[in-house]
Amino acid sequence: MKAKKILIIDDDDRHLLTAKELLEEEGYLVMTHNLGFGSTNIIKAVRPDLVLLDVNMPALSGDKLATVISGQEATQNIPIVFYSSNDEDSLRRSVRETRVAGYICKGNILDLKNKVAYYLEQSGNCRTASRY
Amino acid sequence: MGERYMETAQTESPRVASLITSREKVAPLITVSVVGQQFMNTTDLDALSVVDCDEPVGLVTRQKFMLTLFRRYGFELYGKKRIIAIADTAPLIIHEEERLDVAMDKALERQDKDIYDEIIVVDDADRYKGYLSVKQMIMQQSTILANSVMQKEIARERARELERMSQVKSQFIANVTHELRSPVNAIIGLAEVMKISTEKGQTDRMKERLSLLTTSAINLRAIITNILDLSKIEAGKMEVFNDGFDLVPLLHEVAETARILAGGKPVDVNVTGTIGSLVILSDMVKVRQIMINLLSNAAKFTERGSITVDLTQGNGEVTISVSDTGIGIRREDGEKIFEAFGQVENAHIKQHEGTGLGLTITRNLVAMLGGRIAMSSSFGEGTTFTVTLPISPISH
Ligand SMILES: Nc1ncnc2c1ncn2[C@@H]1O[C@H](COP(=O)(O)OP(=O)(O)OP(=O)(O)O)[C@@H](O)[C@H]1O
Ligand SMILES: [Mg+2]
């Protein structure tokens, strides 16, 4: 089977490092980018199955970036999920305002694994599709 | 007509009985010239009620009386007449229990030329009780009005304060929640990652991860300490312990910390001033905290150039200034930086870490030590914070 590709965008290297390793542990192919800028080009090049996007980032916030990504034809079909330490209510508001697929709260490892699997499945790219 | 419900206790109009200006009266048969004499002799007498036995039958106001008398031939024409002949025989008469605002309305409903005429007050049996001055009533009313305006203003101010507090609270949620959770989540993630690699026997990157873990924990502790310090200050539980200590080595020590905080940035940290040693009587821990807060800000908001700590003394005071060549602070942001959670940057696109508590704590600490703090800045060029402290708590 071909591993699903996940791109994580976060300005904090600690979060990139941990999320990358935890998800690699699940058998995904994980790439990271530690800046909001340049993300769309990377997405176009990598064509990930899912993007985990931090919200609070210098200069270009995740919610702005999500709007940019889903506003471009080449990237509009790539599912985005916020991955943030923000308050859950504020994340829900950001999700509603930007129409991304959903959010995952940082710090809950089980949730990270489950939700990543769920969102990949949602987008019709079930990780276990190779079974069929 | 019943009492209007709108009138609350605090704006309740007083009764006219309590406002009677004068009880002066004359009998109707007194001659005009005698009354003239009375007005001449008593300069603060504005009016006289004409009272027959106990019943008011007219009013003579000084203004109209003088006008009549000093008109051409006035005195010759009227001097010997009875006062009742030239008095206003239909003056406004009001019951003593009437409310001031009602009396006021009635007074103002009169013809223009009569508006300022005095009002005669009577009791239940229509007996003369005195008169009241409309001018005085107007003054009385405007005081009541002013009071109620003031009360409304106080209420509005309170509402604004509550509004501001709730804004501060939501800013707290936006900034602090993230600032607190981010290191905690990093710690959880790092611990988990290390657990996995330990299970697999991969120890190669352990050291690097452990130091990340420590930095996250230190970072978290700093934020928690700030929050706790501010609560302590707000609860009035912060204590001052004064001791004699030399300020100069302390400044060099915090400058060293600033060098570490500036990290790899091309920023020089200098301590200037010619003073080699300066012992002050103050709370050293708090002075250090003040200096660390200012220097960590300078290090945080300066990309290149220098940070200069300067020390001068005079007038029983020491003045320490921290100048940087950093991003500067716009005039319009100058006030909010000293407020709790007041940060210039928007939480979602913040370039710099921090909760916005440093300067609030600093300002409070400086005040506790009997000093003051000021900021001056030129946006894009740099900022200077100046702290002035007494050399000894009683030197002031
Ligand atoms: N030297 C400086 N140069 C430019 N801006 C500054 C400087 N010092 C403070 N500020 C501005 O004032 C704000 C408030 O400063 P304060 O020290 O209270 O908070 P903080 O540094 O953001 O967070 P904390 O100190 O709680 O970690 C900063 O966020 C920044 O916008
Ligand atoms: Mg600070």
Side-chain angles (χ1 to χ4, degrees):
Chain A
M1 83 171 238
K2 199 163 160 283
K4 295 296 167 207
K5 277 184 285 187
I6 298 171
L7 174 66
I8 312 173
I9 302 169
D10 198 319
D11 64 306
D12 189 331
D13 288 333
R14 297 172 305 185
H15 293 299
L16 285 181
L17 180 152
T18 54
K20 179 176 158 67
E21 291 209 6
L22 293 170
L23 291 175
E24 278 175 350
E25 202 52 33
E26 295 294 287
Y28 303 110
L29 189 62
V30 184
M31 273 145 290
T32 59
H33 182 54
N34 79 340
L35 195 69
F37 292 111
S39 295
T40 33
N41 284 336
I42 290 181
I43 294 172
K44 280 180 206 160
V46 173
R47 300 219 59 85
D49 299 295
L50 184 68
V51 176
L52 291 192
L53 183 56
D54 183 24
V55 175
N56 295 25
M57 288 189 289
L60 184 57
S61 70
D63 18 21
K64 280 255 174 57
L65 188 55
T67 316
V68 173
I69 296 170
S70 51
Q72 293 193 7
E73 222 187 310
T75 48
Q76 65 182 359
N77 291 323
I78 292 174
I80 301 170
V81 171
F82 288 136
Y83 181 53
S84 163
S85 289
N86 271 348
D87 177 73
E88 205 161 345
D89 285 342
S90 118
L91 279 175
R92 276 190 284 197
R93 190 175 341 111
S94 296
V95 167
R96 193 167 339 118
E97 281 165 7
T98 54
R99 300 169 189 283
V100 301
Y103 67 88
I104 299 172
C105 292
K106 282 179 184 171
N108 188 337
I109 289 148
L110 199 63
D111 209 37
L112 172 68
K113 293 174 178 174
N114 289 340
K115 281 192 167 171
V116 164
Y118 169 79
Y119 287 118
L120 281 170
E121 196 172 334
Q122 278 259 303
S123 66
N125 293 318
C126 181
R127 189 161 58 100
T128 52
S130 53
R131 272 194 296 166
Y132 300 102
Chain B
M1 227 204 302
E3 295 254 318
R4 270 188 304 160
Y5 172 71
M6 283 259 303
E7 301 291 336
T8 56
Q10 46 188 326
T11 54
E12 175 90 73
S13 205
R15 310 287 141 169
V16 294
S18 64
L19 295 163
I20 287 174
T21 324
S22 161
R23 304 188 192 279
E24 293 295 335
K25 57 181 179 184
V26 285
L29 299 183
I30 298 283
T31 62
V32 170
S33 59
V34 171
V35 173
Q37 213 54 54
Q38 214 168 325
F39 274 126
M40 294 294 198
N41 295 342
T42 327
T43 48
D44 60 353
L45 184 67
D46 282 331
L48 277 168
S49 301
V50 186
V51 179
D52 191 10
C53 297
D54 262 345
E55 190 194 340
V57 291
L59 178 78
V60 187
T61 69
R62 169 188 289 272
Q63 208 192 5
K64 287 181 181 163
F65 181 84
M66 292 303 186
L67 224 67
T68 312
L69 222 60
F70 291 134
R71 215 179 276 152
R72 237 174 143 197
Y73 309 118
F75 202 79
E76 285 83 346
L77 278 173
Y78 302 110
K80 296 207 161 57
K81 293 207 161 142
R82 310 292 183 196
I83 188 65
I84 193 67
I86 64 161
D88 172 6
T89 49
L92 180 58
I93 299 178
I94 281 178
H95 187 266
E96 60 181 351
E97 282 304 309
E98 191 60 277
R99 287 155 40 133
L100 173 59
D101 52 351
V102 176
M104 191 71 183
D105 285 345
K106 286 186 181 162
L108 297 179
E109 273 165 17
R110 298 182 290 188
Q111 289 179 10
D112 284 353
K113 68 172 176 49
D114 301 331
I115 277 188
Y116 293 107
D117 285 1
E118 280 68 11
I119 301 169
I120 292 175
V121 180
V122 293
D123 65 9
D124 282 335
D126 284 338
R127 278 184 304 241
Y128 177 69
K129 302 297 287 184
Y131 63 77
L132 38 107
S133 149
V134 172
K135 276 178 247 156
Q136 209 157 314
M137 277 184 9
I138 289 172
M139 268 155 59
Q140 179 80 20
Q141 278 293 63
S142 58
T143 322
I144 291 171
L145 196 70
N147 282 342
S148 85
V149 166
M150 209 162 77
Q151 257 151 6
K152 283 204 190 97
E153 189 46 45
I154 290 168
R156 219 175 286 136
E157 185 52 47
R158 174 114 188 88
R160 272 197 289 263
E161 177 68 12
L162 287 174
E163 167 73 7
R164 218 177 57 82
M165 271 163 61
S166 91
Q167 269 173 12
V168 166
K169 242 197 234 156
S170 39
Q171 240 190 321
F172 176 86
I173 290 166
N175 296 3
V176 179
T177 340
H178 184 269
E179 295 292 323
L180 274 175
R181 280 206 189 121
S182 191
V184 173
N185 292 338
I187 291 167
I188 292 171
L190 287 164
E192 185 65 22
V193 164
M194 285 194 295
K195 197 168 102 195
I196 294 168
S197 33
T198 321
E199 278 162 4
K200 290 184 177 167
Q202 303 166 331
T203 50
D204 47 334
R205 293 162 81 185
M206 218 46 139
K207 207 170 155 192
E208 178 196 336
R209 266 139 218 212
L210 274 171
S211 77
L212 272 181
L213 194 85
T214 313
T215 329
S216 303
I218 290 174
N219 180 216
L220 182 61
R221 183 183 55 193
I223 296 166
I224 292 173
T225 306
N226 269 354
I227 292 176
L228 294 179
D229 275 356
L230 191 63
S231 326
K232 213 166 155 189
I233 288 169
E234 279 174 353
K237 292 271 156 61
M238 195 69 112
E239 289 170 87
V240 174
F241 298 97
N242 287 327
D243 245 329
F245 67 95
D246 192 344
L247 205 47
V248 178
L250 181 102
L251 294 183
H252 282 281
E253 175 202 318
V254 290
E256 190 48 41
T257 312
R259 276 181 205 112
I260 296 168
L261 290 173
K265 296 193 279 191
V267 177
D268 279 336
V269 184
N270 307 302
V271 182
T272 61
T274 51
I275 303 170
S277 163
L278 178 51
V279 175
I280 67 168
L281 185 60
S282 190
D283 187 322
M284 183 169 80
V285 173
K286 295 193 170 53
V287 174
R288 181 189 284 123
Q289 199 176 347
I290 291 164
M291 294 315 299
I292 292 273
N293 281 346
L294 295 181
L295 278 158
S296 69
N297 281 349
K300 182 156 58 174
F301 296 104
T302 306
E303 286 314 309
R304 61 185 57 81
S306 61
I307 297 169
T308 308
V309 183
D310 187 65
L311 175 64
T312 53
Q313 110 180 73
N315 277 332
E317 293 180 326
V318 291
T319 301
I320 311 160
S321 67
V322 177
S323 311
D324 64 53
T325 58
I327 61 172
I329 298 167
R330 283 195 178 87
R331 187 178 292 274
E332 62 264 34
D333 294 324
E335 277 188 16
K336 83 167 156 206
I337 60 165
F338 285 106
E339 283 176 22
F341 309 111
Q343 290 181 313
V344 173
E345 294 174 291
N346 171 300
H348 274 202
I349 51 166
K350 243 161 51 142
Q351 308 258 14
H352 304 93
E353 283 181 0
T355 47
L357 292 177
L359 285 178
T360 314
I361 293 168
T362 303
R363 191 197 57 196
N364 279 289
L365 293 179
V366 170
M368 288 179 82
L369 301 182
R372 49 191 192 276
I373 183 166
M375 185 274 294
S376 69
S377 182
S378 166
F379 186 63
E381 287 173 28
T383 309
T384 299
F385 283 90
T386 309
V387 174
T388 305
L389 295 173
I391 284 183
S392 129
I394 42 164
S395 71
H396 245 22

